[in-house]
Amino acid sequence: MHGYLDDLSSELNAPEVEQYDPVADSREVTKMDKSKISQAAPGSFEDFVDFEEFDGGDGQMGVAGDGQKGLESIGSQPTLAKSMKTSKMMSAKNAWGTSTGYADKLRKEGGIDTARAQQLENWANQREVFKKNKAVQEMVDASRNDSAEQDWRTLAKFGVERNEDFDLDEVFGPVVAGDTEDGVIELHSRINAAATFTMGMKNEYMGFADFRAAMTPETSMDWTVEPNEGSLSKEMTEFVVKYRPTNPGGSDGFLVIQTEDFKKTFKLIGSTA
């Protein structure tokens, strides 16, 4: 194969020696005279140049010459069909792909012929490129999702900053469901997919009241609420309850929204069925 499966990095990165000649390669110069055409095919093989090297048939035109009859030539050796790139090694790379050593291993250990070995290596290289592109796309998608999640959390907290600075857990104590249920929140979702429920709440009394919104300890971590603290007033504060199941089945629990003056308890029912 004249070294076409070797590392071509130095040759590919080397400066080009020959320049593309648009005049010499133009249609007017290279087209066959009509008097030599017979039945829509060459009627004369006067300019034919015999060529023994085969390019694999999948990368180039399969035509080569000695540089004297309008076909590409580099140095004194015939090469692959002409292209905008006049480097023999670039033509080899286009026709055979980049060698990683896998084709050589297949030839030596598996007894596979050179063309088939290079096809298998090209396929393996394509799969690697596909995997890398897919991984990059997943990273981009994850980044977009993270940004959306951060924006959602920021918007959920907007306008509900705490009115006073004190330890809510110390003042309110453990998160415990009230004696009565003020509502039921039932959500259904696929595993690792989020379902949301939005509700509004006002302060039942005058002024502002700092609140804590949290799940009772026995509630699954699949449930979250935003904002989880802030200040209630006569203006409506929006709470977003999210259910993202990590396992099949059901998940129950309680959401408790509490201030120093009142406590609201909501029954949580989640399912994946």
Side-chain angles (χ1 to χ4, degrees):
M1 296 308 299
H2 303 285
Y4 284 180
L5 300 183
D6 296 336
D7 186 0
L8 308 178
S9 301
S10 59
E11 289 83 354
L12 295 177
N13 295 326
E16 296 288 348
V17 177
E18 298 187 12
Q19 299 295 325
Y20 172 64
D21 187 348
V23 176
D25 290 336
S26 65
R27 179 176 181 275
E28 288 73 15
V29 174
T30 59
K31 70 178 180 179
M32 176 174 285
D33 189 272
K34 290 185 178 181
S35 62
K36 298 181 180 181
I37 299 176
S38 175
Q39 297 180 354
S44 171
F45 291 92
E46 177 184 350
D47 296 333
F48 175 75
V49 179
D50 193 13
F51 181 58
E52 297 180 355
E53 185 176 356
F54 178 55
D55 72 348
D58 58 355
Q60 300 292 336
M61 294 292 291
V63 180
D66 59 3
Q68 305 303 316
K69 303 297 182 181
L71 298 177
E72 180 186 17
S73 173
I74 296 179
S76 60
Q77 298 295 325
T79 183
L80 303 177
K82 66 181 178 180
S83 65
M84 293 302 292
K85 296 292 184 179
T86 57
S87 167
K88 178 177 180 180
M89 292 306 174
M90 179 61 76
S91 298
K93 179 177 183 298
N94 290 340
W96 291 98
T98 301
S99 176
T100 62
Y102 181 53
D104 293 334
K105 182 178 180 181
L106 291 175
R107 286 190 299 148
K108 293 177 181 179
E109 300 180 3
I112 300 177
D113 66 88
T114 299
R116 181 57 176 165
Q118 188 60 48
Q119 288 177 346
L120 293 174
E121 179 172 13
N122 291 348
W123 181 84
N125 290 342
Q126 292 169 3
R127 297 303 303 171
E128 287 297 323
V129 172
F130 173 78
K131 290 179 181 179
K132 290 180 181 179
N133 291 341
K134 183 177 180 181
V136 171
Q137 186 60 47
E138 289 177 350
M139 291 177 61
V140 172
D141 293 340
S143 176
R144 290 174 178 172
N145 291 337
D146 290 343
S147 298
E149 182 77 7
Q150 292 174 2
D151 293 343
W152 173 79
R153 291 181 181 275
T154 300
L155 291 173
K157 294 180 180 179
F158 180 75
V160 294
E161 286 77 9
R162 292 276 301 279
N163 192 44
E164 298 180 32
D165 186 13
F166 62 90
D167 190 332
L168 294 173
D169 293 333
E170 182 178 337
V171 174
F172 297 156
V175 181
V176 180
D179 296 333
T180 60
E181 296 179 3
D182 297 279
V184 177
I185 301 174
E186 186 171 358
L187 294 175
H188 169 81
S189 180
R190 305 188 313 274
I191 294 177
N192 293 325
T196 60
F197 174 81
T198 303
M199 63 179 180
M201 185 175 297
K202 298 179 180 180
N203 184 18
E204 298 181 350
Y205 303 94
M206 293 293 295
F208 296 86
D210 289 344
F211 70 84
R212 176 186 67 185
M215 312 299 174
T216 55
E218 69 274 11
T219 303
S220 169
M221 296 294 290
D222 296 342
W223 292 91
T224 57
V225 61
E226 288 287 346
N228 48 40
E229 64 177 39
S231 178
L232 291 177
S233 66
K234 288 299 181 182
E235 298 294 329
M236 188 69 71
T237 297
E238 189 175 84
F239 292 88
V240 180
V241 181
K242 181 184 292 186
Y243 174 60
R244 187 193 295 270
T246 55
N247 295 293
S251 176
D252 299 338
F254 292 95
L255 165 64
V256 179
I257 301 177
Q258 184 175 358
T259 71
E260 291 184 284
D261 302 312
F262 68 87
K263 177 191 290 188
K264 299 290 185 180
T265 301
F266 299 90
K267 174 69 175 179
L268 303 175
I269 303 175
S271 65
T272 58

